[in-house]
Amino acid sequence: MVRVAVIDRDKCKPEDCKSICLKFCPKVKNRIEALRIDEELEKAVIIEKLCSGCGICVKKCPFNAIQIINIPEEIEPECSHRYGKNTFKLYRLPTPNSEMITGLIGENGTGKSTALRIISGEIKPNLGKYDSPPDWTGIQKHYRGTILQSYFDKLASGKIKISYKPQYIDKIPKIVSGKVIEVLENIDERNILKKILFDLELNKVINRPLNALSGGELQRVAIAATLCRDADIYIFDEPSSHLDVSQRIKTSKIIRTLPNEGKTVLVAEHDLAMLDYLSDQVSVIYGEPGVYGIISHNHGVRVGINIYLNGFLPDENMRFRNDSIKFHIRPPRESEDSEKGSRIFWPNMIKDFGDFKLEVDGAYIDQGEIIGILGPNGIGKTTFIKLLVGIEKPDNESISPFIDLSLSYKPQYIYTEYDGAVSSLLKDAVVENKNSDFIENAIIRPLKLYKFLDRDVSSLSGGELQRVAIATCLAKDAKIFFLDEPSAYLDVEERLAVAKALRKIVEDKEAYAFIVEHDIAIQDFMADRLCVFSGNPGTNGRSEEPLNLRGGMNKFLASMEITFRRDRETGRPRVNKTDSKIDRKQKGLGEYYYIPRE
Ligand code: ADP
Ligand code: ADP
Ligand code: SF4
């Protein structure tokens, strides 16, 4: 076994704990310097070769700063990168097969972005030798006999041009300024801007400065910029964030044209339906988030995604998760059976902002029910939620419909003004709720919040902050829960953990929930009925009475002219190729979502 030790430098404070880990390390007691305080860094460091991995320091550290994992010895020579001493370690790299789209799937923190940054040339792989990194000759020697050898040869000699869309697009307006059209015209090396602006529906915003765009608009501009460059390799790190379903499909269709022009594409993506639709092959990344990640060989798309869901890599005989993830087809709830007393109603509502008008048809939600909300961006979904929560007032009603009920709301955009640790933020929510064991078991554990309970809220990544915001919302002693885009920045397991936590809370507390969500697989997993919005984004929107899952999906997918089938092994929804036999058959039957029984 090889030891991988990771010490979080932000958490490690030897002066505060009086270097308690040193006092308990049995190796140190025997004068073997497996653990010491680095005088320059003023932090603990572990010499992995000398450490026995007993884990005592992990338990003794009062700040949860140390993690130690044993991994099989055989993998060690395959280390591709390590950022520094006692930091995250990446093994292997994805293989960019020419004229193909390679998808990457894995938990957050297992190294997808690191791998993509290496392939893009932004990071030179150090093969784990962070203190004496190899030169390009050493790197090529390491990858001798593989596609990566010639790839790095070309990359080193500047013969490969890369176009790269990073994961965190919010940084772009801080680096690039100007109007959308000016920025894109400057980089339109392929002379495709006119078509891209039309296909990605960006014409409405071309005269806006980058720093005035919404998340979804900025994402599409970043994708357009990546496509406009004339490159050999195109890399997209999480292209679906902030996009609605129709934009995800349109973006996928455009990216799919690149291999036909001789281009090679790599994509990291958490939306299973989009990854499935986009990729020609899939590579799975597994490991321990924040500690190490191992990249699998390439597999066919269906097989690769199913390997990830099953948690087992047959070709390596490696089980990387105890449970497999299954998408069960639930029987539709029979709302009519519900007792009348437990049903709550909202009236017809109108909200006119001047430029945008929303009309809501009155309807009801039953106790223990989750209503999913689907529709394009800018159609009024958030406004609908705000009307129900009481943040906005309907023009035709004097009071908000749920005024007498206890509500809990996670907005779409989360701000980090809280000055303090995650634990104290949660405590504030839990104090209101008497049953803290329930919170621990139903929320904190499944969402794996214990990993960063001590961290300051202001230091969290996008995904961590999202989980904390969801947990704070669910921990409240409320009767109705509202979650606006809970999946943004979360990986598949985190999305499913949120879905399960919500279902449990809604069922156990006999509560009610409304969820705005663009990930079809997650909406399918969570929602009992669907409220589908129609209209013209940015101009007018209408919310009709919620339909059962099948009816709602049919209505929504028919409007986008796409059909889904279910994967026979995992039950996950898969997008049918346009005009394929099954696509034509389902459209003929008007069954856009469920495969009709033979
Ligand atoms: P993913 O894309 O799968 O979420 P990343 O590649 O972004 O994973 O990160 C993998 C791990 O590497 C994380 O624990 C992250 O904190 C760590 N990491 C990323 N960049 C650096 C860096 N510059 N220095 C040290 N650690 C880093
Ligand atoms: P969605 O959640 O479906 O993306 P929103 O409800 O956020 O849509 O927005 C629908 C439309 O209403 C957008 O064009 C938005 O700019 C507009 N809008 C939202 N809130 C306001 C407001 N307070 N004043 C004026 N316009 C608004
Ligand atoms: Fe020492 Fe290693 Fe045990 Fe930590 S895990 S106490 S460094 S031997």
Side-chain angles (χ1 to χ4, degrees):
M1 285 289 177
V2 182
R3 220 132 286 131
V4 180
V6 172
I7 299 185
D8 188 326
R9 299 236 165 115
D10 293 333
K11 288 184 183 173
C12 175
K13 297 171 202 148
E15 67 286 6
D16 290 356
C17 74
K18 308 263 182 305
S19 307
I20 190 166
C21 52
L22 279 180
K23 292 178 193 124
F24 285 91
C25 175
K27 292 274 176 180
V28 174
K29 280 185 184 166
N30 287 326
R31 297 176 192 281
I32 300 170
E33 207 185 40
L35 176 63
R36 64 182 166 80
I37 305 300
D38 185 297
E39 281 177 16
E40 219 172 281
L41 296 172
E42 295 180 356
K43 304 284 175 192
V45 291
I46 290 177
I47 315 303
E48 288 159 343
K49 279 188 189 145
L50 300 176
C51 161
S52 64
C54 68
I56 291 174
C57 55
V58 178
K59 290 193 195 106
K60 290 290 170 191
C61 174
F63 307 119
N64 290 326
I66 307 177
Q67 286 193 77
I68 294 173
I69 306 275
N70 294 316
I71 57 166
E73 198 135 4
E74 308 85 80
I75 194 79
E76 191 54 19
E78 297 190 67
C79 180
S80 48
H81 194 70
R82 193 166 203 188
Y83 285 103
K85 194 176 277 176
N86 297 154
T87 60
F88 175 81
K89 221 168 172 184
L90 183 68
Y91 295 91
R92 305 192 194 136
L93 286 172
T95 309
N97 279 340
S98 62
E99 299 178 29
M100 275 198 172
I101 301 182
T102 305
L104 285 184
I105 180 128
E107 275 185 83
N108 276 337
T110 50
K112 293 178 298 302
S113 297
T114 303
L116 293 181
R117 288 169 71 203
I118 291 173
I119 297 296
S120 76
E122 192 186 310
I123 298 177
K124 201 167 162 185
N126 62 22
L127 314 179
K129 298 170 191 134
Y130 50 86
D131 43 1
S132 57
D135 58 12
W136 280 118
T137 315
I139 294 167
Q140 283 159 32
K141 205 168 143 199
H142 179 81
Y143 290 105
R144 192 164 37 204
T146 70
I147 290 175
L148 285 168
Q149 180 190 6
S150 62
Y151 182 82
F152 284 128
D153 179 22
K154 288 187 207 148
L155 193 68
S157 51
K159 287 187 195 141
I160 293 184
K161 220 181 140 203
I162 314 275
S163 189
Y164 177 34
K165 188 209 78 69
Q167 178 184 9
Y168 291 110
I169 48 161
D170 45 337
K171 289 183 187 147
I172 297 172
K174 290 174 192 142
I175 305 163
V176 188
S177 58
K179 288 183 182 172
V180 170
I181 189 74
E182 294 161 0
V183 173
L184 292 179
E185 268 173 355
N186 270 338
I187 51 175
D188 186 21
E189 296 160 353
R190 293 172 67 213
N191 205 13
I192 54 163
L193 184 56
K194 210 170 153 204
K195 183 172 177 350
I196 292 286
L197 289 175
F198 176 80
D199 287 348
L200 292 179
E201 296 165 354
L202 282 169
N203 279 312
K204 274 187 193 165
V205 300
I206 51 174
N207 288 314
R208 292 206 201 140
L210 287 186
N211 60 9
L213 300 179
S214 73
E217 289 160 348
L218 193 58
Q219 183 70 268
R220 282 176 288 143
V221 170
I223 291 168
T226 311
L227 291 163
C228 279
R229 290 193 187 279
D230 190 15
D232 306 293
I233 314 277
Y234 291 80
I235 297 176
F236 299 89
D237 198 346
E238 296 189 26
S240 77
S241 308
H242 303 298
L243 300 190
D244 64 37
V245 178
S246 140
Q247 290 161 347
R248 288 174 195 205
I249 298 285
K250 280 182 187 151
T251 304
S252 303
K253 281 185 178 163
I254 301 167
I255 296 176
R256 277 218 64 84
T257 61
L258 288 168
N260 302 338
E261 297 173 37
K263 315 289 189 189
T264 299
V265 184
L266 279 110
V267 183
E269 182 52 57
H270 294 305
D271 180 327
L272 291 179
M274 183 170 178
L275 184 80
D276 191 355
Y277 187 66
L278 245 183
S279 315
D280 296 309
Q281 53 181 17
V282 163
S283 184
V284 177
I285 306 200
Y286 60 96
E288 179 66 29
V291 182
Y292 77 98
I294 302 175
I295 299 176
S296 80
H297 304 298
N298 290 329
H299 294 270
V301 186
R302 179 178 170 269
V303 171
I305 295 179
N306 287 359
I307 284 175
Y308 175 67
L309 294 177
N310 289 333
F312 179 68
L313 261 169
D315 55 334
E316 297 178 35
N317 196 21
M318 166 62 74
R319 173 150 294 287
F320 54 89
R321 196 188 317 106
N322 289 332
D323 315 313
S324 66
I325 298 170
K326 282 252 183 315
F327 289 82
H328 296 289
I329 305 164
R330 279 178 289 118
R333 278 174 63 98
E334 293 301 331
S335 313
E336 289 73 20
D337 294 348
S338 174
E339 284 170 37
K340 226 178 167 187
S342 60
R343 185 172 279 185
I344 55 174
F345 295 82
W346 64 91
N348 291 339
M349 291 184 283
I350 293 173
K351 184 76 198 174
D352 196 344
F353 288 123
D355 286 344
F356 178 83
K357 186 176 177 187
L358 174 68
E359 288 176 89
V360 175
D361 286 355
Y364 66 87
I365 179 168
D366 278 323
Q367 208 158 12
E369 193 176 39
I370 299 176
I371 291 193
I373 296 168
L374 271 178
N377 280 336
I379 200 88
K381 300 181 300 300
T382 297
T383 306
F384 171 60
I385 294 281
K386 286 182 176 170
L387 288 171
L388 296 181
V389 173
I391 295 172
E392 294 283 359
K393 273 229 173 75
D395 298 340
N396 59 325
E397 294 278 330
S398 53
I399 51 163
S400 298
F402 300 156
I403 192 87
D404 297 331
L405 296 156
S406 52
L407 313 176
S408 186
Y409 169 48
K410 186 210 78 75
Q412 179 184 6
Y413 295 109
I414 313 157
Y415 300 102
T416 50
E417 278 167 14
Y418 191 83
D419 184 19
V422 172
S423 53
S424 53
L425 176 67
L426 274 168
K427 221 181 273 163
D428 292 348
V430 175
V431 161
E432 292 175 28
N433 192 314
K434 307 278 184 301
N435 192 350
S436 57
D437 278 353
F438 181 78
I439 305 293
E440 173 80 25
N441 294 329
I443 301 170
I444 294 179
R445 260 180 228 283
L447 300 190
K448 296 188 182 155
L449 298 185
Y450 46 83
K451 285 192 171 179
F452 48 87
L453 279 175
D454 303 331
R455 293 245 307 273
D456 275 346
V457 174
S458 58
S459 76
L460 301 179
S461 71
E464 290 165 343
L465 190 63
Q466 182 73 269
R467 275 144 71 198
V468 170
I470 293 167
T472 315
C473 171
L474 297 182
K476 293 216 172 102
D477 202 5
K479 206 66 192 159
I480 316 184
F481 295 92
F482 299 88
L483 295 174
D484 199 343
E485 295 196 29
S487 282
Y489 304 116
L490 300 189
D491 64 34
V492 176
E493 290 177 79
E494 290 163 349
R495 288 173 193 204
L496 289 167
V498 169
K500 281 183 192 162
L502 180 73
R503 278 225 74 86
K504 180 159 176 52
I505 287 168
V506 166
E507 278 165 19
D508 287 11
K509 294 175 84 175
E510 297 188 323
Y512 309 79
F514 292 84
I515 315 293
V516 178
E517 178 55 60
H518 294 302
D519 185 327
I520 288 285
I522 298 299
Q523 201 55 284
D524 173 73
F525 196 83
M526 227 172 354
D528 295 303
R529 285 188 297 149
L530 286 174
C531 197
V532 181
F533 278 60
S534 55
N536 293 312
T539 312
N540 64 287
R542 183 180 193 102
S543 131
E544 288 171 23
E545 198 179 333
L547 301 169
N548 67 25
L549 201 57
R550 179 175 172 187
M553 284 291 187
N554 266 334
K555 184 176 175 193
F556 177 67
L557 297 174
S559 70
M560 284 187 307
E561 299 182 352
I562 53 170
T563 58
F564 275 80
R565 67 189 183 285
R566 284 187 185 275
D567 180 68
R568 57 184 179 276
E569 191 185 338
T570 59
R572 72 188 156 90
R574 304 189 69 196
V575 185
N576 293 321
K577 296 268 182 281
T578 309
D579 225 22
S580 62
K581 202 172 152 197
I582 187 161
D583 179 57
R584 287 201 307 269
K585 180 179 171 184
Q586 285 188 225
K587 280 178 180 162
L589 291 166
E591 296 285 359
Y592 284 74
Y593 196 56
Y594 291 91
I595 301 175
R597 284 204 191 109
E598 295 296 336

